[in-house]
């Protein structure tokens, strides 16, 4: 697991500071330079007055990628083909595209700080009876521990908590927290003998959250929760090959459906072992990458459930060690 911290003003400044509502901040820090209006994805505290924008920056700020205006969910806003495994963001109205590589790789960028590139994903709990790896920010706080290079978690009896990896586990508010961050999860997976999870259930990945999420397998983007800055769901079923996306916060986004096979065909890629119906051939190994961005200042939701079979479970310790997800017997 990798965690990256982003800023739009100077390093160390509060992400919700008044300066971050400024017009100039649209082309500062991680938002890019004034040249050509900066990057396509903007990190913002509230929305500055964009009436004086011109050229490419005006086009960028009119895109649903940088608004809370309801729009069709995700697929139109990222291409199935990736940039070497990194999502390529697309504004379908203008045709502008940009790789998200600069946000998640090792490159030096203004307003970007890689906090840790090798974190044990101890925020997830493994249920031996169901085969599910799960985390929900609604009832669990997960905070990065610099000493152990892991995620400290606290479960809560009430709901409404959020995902703030750089803040106190006891902090439920969105005020004075460290917004603007990214997380990346990578794991090799296998489909198993019958494309099942070993417990008789479907192999699946389910996510709910905001602002952006991309799921990439074998260099092909299967799910994109970009689009307008509203919370969305995605459900990828590796047993049937079905993929669905929708909004969950009343924004009016419609449900979208596709298949694993369709996304690979759109990208022009054949997965290892080929296809079985709309999904992968059984007993094949694949590479899963999940990319997550928080680039607003209102809420940070992350709910992730995975019933996949790690090919080499490096982060999972059957004896309940500190190297990976906790086990629930």
């Amino acid at each position: 697991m990798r965690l990256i911290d982003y800023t739009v003003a100077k390093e160390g400044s509060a992400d919700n500071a008044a300066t971050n509502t400024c017009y100039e901040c649209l082309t500062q820090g991680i938002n890019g330079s004034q040249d050509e209006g900066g990057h396509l994805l903007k990190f913002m505290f509230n929305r500055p007055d964009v009436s004086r924008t011109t050229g490419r920056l005006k086009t960028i700020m009119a895109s649903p990628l940088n608004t809370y205006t309801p729009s069709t969910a995700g697929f139109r806003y990222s291409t199935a083909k990736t940039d070497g495994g990194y999502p390529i963001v697309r504004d379908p109205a203008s045709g502008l595209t940009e790789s998200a590589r600069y946000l998640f790789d090792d490159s030096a960028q203004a307003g970007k700080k890689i906090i840790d590139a090798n974190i044990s994903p101890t925020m997830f709990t493994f249920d031996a009876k169901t085969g599910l790896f799960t985390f929900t920010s609604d009832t669990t706080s997960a905070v990065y521990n610099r000493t152990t290079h892991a995620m400290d978690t606290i479960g809560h009896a009430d709901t409404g908590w959020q995902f703030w990896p750089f803040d106190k586990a006891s902090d439920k508010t969105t005020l004075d927290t460290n917004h603007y961050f990214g997380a990346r999860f990578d794991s090799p997976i296998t489909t198993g003998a019958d494309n099942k999870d070993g417990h008789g259930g479907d192999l699946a990945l389910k996510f709910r959250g905001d602002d952006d999420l991309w799921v990439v397998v074998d260099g092909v983007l299967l799910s994109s929760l970009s689009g307008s800055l509203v919370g969305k769901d995605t459900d990828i079923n590796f047993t049937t090959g079905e993929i669905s996306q929708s909004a969950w916060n009343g924004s009016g986004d419609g449900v979208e459906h596709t298949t694993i096979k369709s996304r690979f065909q759109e990208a022009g890629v054949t997965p290892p072992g080929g296809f079985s119906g709309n999904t992968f051939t059984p007993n094949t190994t694949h590479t899963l990458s999940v990319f997550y961005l928080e680039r607003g200042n209102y809420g940070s939701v992350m709910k992730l459930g995975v019933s996949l079979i790690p090919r080499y479970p490096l982060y999972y310790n059957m004896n309940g060690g500190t190297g990976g997800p906790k086990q629930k017997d």
Side-chain angles (χ1 to χ4, degrees), residues 56-257:
R56 185 172 179 272
L57 180 57
K58 183 176 182 178
T59 301
I60 291 173
M61 293 312 298
S63 170
L65 288 166
N66 297 303
T67 72
Y68 289 89
T69 303
S71 66
T72 302
F75 288 118
R76 293 192 302 128
Y77 293 92
S78 299
T79 62
K81 185 177 181 180
T82 63
D83 172 21
Y86 292 93
I88 297 176
V89 183
R90 171 176 59 191
D91 176 21
S94 65
L96 291 175
T97 62
E98 183 177 17
S99 170
R101 178 187 288 268
Y102 75 98
L103 290 166
F104 294 100
D105 68 3
D106 290 328
S107 66
Q109 304 284 337
K112 172 187 175 184
K113 183 178 182 180
I114 299 173
I115 301 300
D116 198 327
N118 191 24
I119 303 171
S120 294
T122 46
M123 59 199 288
F124 294 99
T125 298
F126 178 72
D127 190 325
K129 294 180 180 178
T130 64
L132 285 172
F133 291 85
T134 60
F135 170 76
T136 172
S137 63
D138 194 41
T139 56
T140 307
S141 295
V143 178
Y144 169 62
N145 187 317
R146 292 178 181 270
T147 301
T148 63
H149 300 278
M151 300 296 290
D152 292 339
T153 59
I154 295 178
H156 304 284
D158 57 340
T159 59
W161 294 79
Q162 302 193 50
F163 182 52
W164 306 118
F166 301 133
D167 289 279
K168 302 184 298 295
S170 59
D171 194 350
K172 193 174 183 178
T173 128
T174 64
L175 299 176
D176 300 320
T177 53
N178 191 329
H179 300 261
Y180 305 160
F181 58 84
R184 175 179 176 176
F185 310 86
D186 297 279
S187 176
I189 60 173
T190 181
T191 56
D194 54 1
N195 281 341
K196 295 286 186 177
D197 65 3
H199 297 264
D202 289 354
L203 291 171
L205 182 150
K206 298 183 178 182
F207 176 88
R208 167 174 285 190
D210 66 304
D211 293 306
D212 304 276
L213 175 102
W214 299 275
V215 179
V216 175
V217 176
D218 297 337
V220 174
L221 190 129
L222 296 186
S223 182
S224 166
L225 299 195
S226 252
S228 55
L229 293 173
V230 295
K232 296 185 178 73
D233 290 308
T234 189
D235 188 341
I236 303 174
N237 190 310
F238 292 90
T239 300
T240 66
E242 297 296 320
I243 304 173
S244 66
Q245 300 182 163
S246 63
W248 54 267
N249 64 352
S251 69
D253 286 14
V255 179
E256 295 182 317
H257 298 278

